[in-house]
Amino acid sequence: MQQAAPQAFDRVLSSMCTDPHPAARAAAERFLATNPGDPATYAEVADLEARAVAALGAITGLATASGAGEGAEEPPHGYVTGGGTEANLQAVRAARDRRNVDGANLVVPESAHFSFTKAADVLGVELRTVSTDADHRADTDAVAAAVDDRTALVVGVAGSTEYGRVDPIPEIADIAHDAGAYCHVDAAWGGFLLPFTDHAWGFADAPIDSLTIDPHKCGRAVIPAGGLLFRDAAGMDVLAVDTPYLESRSQASLAGTRSGAGVASTVAAIDALWPDGYRDEYERADGVARWLAGELRDRGQRVADVELPTVVADLGGGVVESLRERGWRLSRTGCGLARVVVMPHVTRKILRAFLGDLDEVR
Ligand SMILES: *Cc1c(COP(=O)(O)O)cnc(C)c1O
């Protein structure tokens, strides 16, 4: 049988995934046939999951935020999900069940990922989508106007999928709590970049209740590896169901059997890269994104300001299609603008070739 081959990464400009770290690849292969959903049988991978959650807690400010000054620090609460979609859905589910009101609603900015549309649909929660400001961040007046005494959860995005924007998280958390609701931060993509910025986004910066951070995006783990974290044990407790035929008594994950590859590769990638490797990559990507934005502006293109390393530009009609015909895996925003996500595989060399093609087709 002829072996199928995946695409190379050298023309992939709009993906939020990238080549996994070599140590993450190796760890994934070692733990491919383990199931962290059955911790009594697969104890080693269950221990690794606890390490992964502790490390994700440290990256997102949970370890320092909870138990600061107290002797016995609680371990962070959470688990390694199949990705950001599962993490976001479970955050909505936890808030719905902790809030426990009839006709619960969920308030998200229009920049929120479509996973919240799925979550609202699956969970029977009303989705209230509010506008963003001129710079594509959640408009806090609009958020405040949308919440009421049936709001279970208010979402802020820290690194939005289209523009890489960071919402005003502390203000959103205050609005949520004033209404008696929970606050969730979606840092699925931004979570491994934001520790090296001045943004207020994590558990140490604001009284948020839960957070999504995906090792399989900027964390350099293999797919599938997402992360869901809660400030309090109650977040995981409300998700747990009894598991009659397993040795362990309860399970909080949405999936039953799940891949130990994601868990093991998360630990391996973080061991290899936190913090210096991730910081170096953030600084490189930030420099490349700003350079690309400048190159496009020099060509007379309209380019959005760069916040996290995503470049959104209006290349004009038909140009994205022509670039796609030349093999560039380039996607558009909802408004039809070209979007380049500067992931680890997106180098200046690749982008110079891209700009050369752009000059030829436009
Ligand atoms: C990618 C992304 C998600 C969804 O994560 P998956 O791993 O694709 O399920 C959710 N939120 C944001 C902000 C994302 O960028």
Side-chain angles (χ1 to χ4, degrees):
M1 192 181 88
Q2 206 194 331
Q3 275 209 329
Q7 92 300 320
F9 272 107
D10 61 354
R11 294 199 160 214
V12 175
L13 297 185
S14 302
S15 179
M16 293 186 141
C17 293
T18 191
D19 217 8
H21 188 277
R25 243 178 223 278
E29 202 172 329
R30 281 199 305 281
F31 281 84
L32 208 48
T34 64
N35 171 17
D38 179 3
T41 304
Y42 301 96
E44 293 79 7
V45 80
D47 289 347
L48 278 182
E49 183 165 31
R51 276 181 61 194
V53 171
L56 293 173
I59 292 168
T60 58
L62 193 55
T64 50
S66 63
E70 285 150 49
E73 216 173 83
E74 266 190 87
H77 311 284
Y79 75 99
V80 176
T81 67
T85 299
E86 180 184 343
N88 287 341
L89 185 141
Q90 290 277 77
V92 177
R93 180 176 161 218
R96 181 197 67 178
D97 292 352
R98 290 171 85 183
R99 185 76 159 105
N100 196 21
V101 290
D102 285 339
N105 65 69
L106 160 69
V107 176
V108 306
E110 64 186 348
S111 53
H113 188 262
F114 53 80
S115 47
F116 291 103
T117 310
K118 298 181 186 175
D121 188 26
V122 170
L123 295 167
V125 172
E126 180 200 343
L127 181 66
R128 295 187 177 173
T129 304
V130 303
S131 54
T132 48
D133 64 18
D135 216 10
H136 313 285
R137 288 185 196 86
D139 177 340
T140 49
D141 290 337
V143 174
V147 301
D148 61 19
D149 56 7
R150 290 173 184 235
T151 302
L153 187 68
V154 184
V155 173
V157 187
S160 60
T161 311
E162 286 197 337
Y163 284 88
R165 291 292 184 256
V166 182
D167 288 337
I169 303 298
E171 289 86 343
I172 290 173
D174 286 346
I175 293 167
H177 292 157
D178 286 348
Y182 294 90
C183 177
H184 177 74
V185 169
D186 185 1
W189 176 70
F192 285 88
L193 308 169
L194 287 159
F196 312 109
T197 70
D198 294 332
H199 289 289
W201 66 286
F203 287 101
D205 307 315
I208 62 167
D209 301 291
S210 55
L211 182 144
T212 292
I213 173 172
D214 274 2
H216 71 200
K217 287 184 172 171
C218 295
R220 309 270 322 263
V222 307
I223 301 169
L228 173 62
L229 297 168
F230 291 98
R231 186 183 292 277
D232 303 325
M236 285 289 277
D237 289 349
V238 77
L239 293 175
V241 301
D242 293 341
T243 50
Y245 68 86
L246 294 181
E247 281 303 311
S248 50
R249 288 198 317 279
S250 74
Q251 188 177 83
S253 58
L254 186 60
T257 302
R258 56 201 167 97
S259 172
V263 170
S265 70
T266 294
V267 172
I270 293 175
D271 277 353
L273 295 170
W274 174 258
D276 294 347
Y278 291 125
R279 181 189 295 111
D280 290 349
E281 171 52 24
Y282 165 72
E283 286 171 359
R284 183 203 72 86
D286 178 63
V288 170
R290 289 174 199 282
W291 165 80
L292 175 64
E295 289 288 323
L296 292 170
R297 284 194 190 107
D298 288 349
R299 287 165 171 77
Q301 316 284 10
R302 286 199 308 126
V303 185
D305 287 339
V306 173
E307 184 161 25
L308 293 176
T310 289
V311 180
V312 176
D314 185 357
L315 298 183
V319 173
V320 170
E321 289 70 17
S322 304
L323 289 165
R324 287 187 64 89
E325 274 163 28
R326 291 186 174 215
W328 296 102
R329 306 284 174 99
L330 184 65
S331 77
R332 274 174 306 200
T333 66
C335 300
L337 307 178
R339 164 178 165 270
V340 174
V341 186
V342 184
M343 294 299 288
H345 63 271
V346 179
T347 61
R348 268 180 216 241
K349 179 162 176 256
I350 285 174
L351 290 171
R352 273 196 205 97
F354 169 73
L355 289 168
D357 276 359
L358 174 65
D359 289 340
E360 284 179 24
V361 303
R362 81 196 167 97

